[in-house]
Amino acid sequence: VIGVVIGKTDVRSFPDRKNIGSERYTFNFTIRDSPTYFINVQSWGREEYIRSLSESFRVGDCVTIENPLIQSKEAEREEKFNPVTPSCYKLLLSENHSVVKTSSCYDMDTKLLSLLHLPVKDPQDYYSLGDIVANGQSLDGRILNVLAAVMSVSQ
């Protein structure tokens, strides 16, 4: 699978249920290879492997994923913590079987770079900041998708 990384989480650790007293490490990222299709990728393993893999690329890099395990995603549970994707599957990386290679999008396909700026939600499923200000009372307690642009960043 070849795609551009459009999102990435930090490395986290959890107690290992199989080996009491040790921890397993994980991080997730999302790749996109077309305007319509993107998928979440999950990686679990030893701390050294996960940290090294996580540090090997960043959002905006193009990656080639070899030998991932394809799993059905548990939509209700997984989409709380990951972007909602159009696929009912996710990719799972294994330290022993999977390989992630990073390369420049210019070297691979410049069309992949344009995918970085496309929203991952339906364009009809957003509220503007003006809508929220005008209708704040009726929206109270609801979870909304907001489409906004950063105008400036300062201290």
Side-chain angles (χ1 to χ4, degrees), residues 23-127:
E23 295 192 335
R24 291 185 68 203
Y25 287 77
T26 185
F27 83 102
N28 299 331
F29 60 100
T30 305
I31 63 167
R32 184 176 220 163
D33 68 356
S34 74
T36 310
Y37 296 105
F38 48 99
I39 193 164
N40 291 321
V41 184
Q42 187 174 45
S43 184
W44 286 90
R46 298 177 304 112
E47 180 177 13
E48 300 80 23
Y49 167 71
I50 294 298
R51 289 200 187 282
S52 173
L53 182 59
S54 176
E55 292 168 2
S56 71
F57 62 88
R58 61 181 193 255
V59 172
D61 286 347
C62 288
V63 295
T64 301
I65 301 173
E66 297 175 0
N67 297 324
L69 179 64
I70 300 169
Q71 287 187 327
S72 297
K73 67 182 178 184
E74 300 168 43
E76 194 170 301
R77 190 182 79 156
E78 293 184 28
E79 291 181 347
K80 280 184 186 177
F81 307 106
N82 296 302
V84 176
T85 63
S87 173
C88 55
Y89 301 100
K90 66 179 178 183
L91 302 180
L92 184 63
L93 300 181
S94 157
E95 182 173 1
N96 296 326
H97 299 100
S98 306
V99 176
V100 178
K101 297 177 183 173
T102 308
S103 59
S104 164
C105 287
Y106 291 110
D107 295 340
M108 298 186 80
D109 187 348
T110 54
K111 289 181 269 182
L112 289 173
L113 278 179
S114 66
L115 301 175
L116 272 172
H117 305 293
L118 294 177
V120 295
K121 290 280 192 175
D122 177 355
Q124 307 305 314
D125 191 23
Y126 287 107
Y127 283 82

Side-chain angles (χ1 to χ4, degrees), residues 126-139 144-145 147:
Y126 287 107
Y127 283 82
S128 69
L129 296 177
D131 291 340
I132 294 170
V133 170
N135 302 306
Q137 292 293 332
S138 64
L139 300 173
L144 307 174
N145 295 316
L147 180 59

